[in-house]
Amino acid sequence: ARRGCDEAADGCSGTAPAQMARRIIFCACGTSWHAALVGEYMIESLCRIPVEVIGHTAFRYIKVGNM
């Protein structure tokens, strides 16, 4: 059976770090950018947390203060 982010991977109760996140930003380039796109899909579909994949050159221009 597949586990979602609502269940702790080790079966212990408590708040997983993924449950505390309001949004996730991946900064990547090249092959890691493609891997980040896969991660975006998985996290958004399993955990229902908004994910943004940003190329390394654009990362310096985003404002992260309002996360």
Side-chain angles (χ1 to χ4, degrees):
R2 298 181 81 176
R3 293 180 189 232
C5 290
D6 294 336
E7 300 176 49
D10 60 1
C12 298
S13 61
T15 304
Q19 292 174 321
M20 297 185 312
R22 289 184 280 157
R23 109 179 175 188
I24 297 171
I25 299 174
F26 287 120
C27 175
C29 67
T31 304
S32 65
W33 184 75
H34 292 94
L37 291 174
V38 173
E40 174 186 26
Y41 172 78
M42 293 178 68
I43 292 170
E44 286 184 343
S45 62
L46 294 174
C47 302
R48 311 271 195 275
I49 298 173
V51 177
E52 201 171 337
V53 178
I54 299 173
H56 71 287
T57 56
F59 188 72
R60 69 189 303 199
Y61 299 109
I62 67 164
K63 296 185 183 210
V64 294
N66 295 329
M67 290 181 148

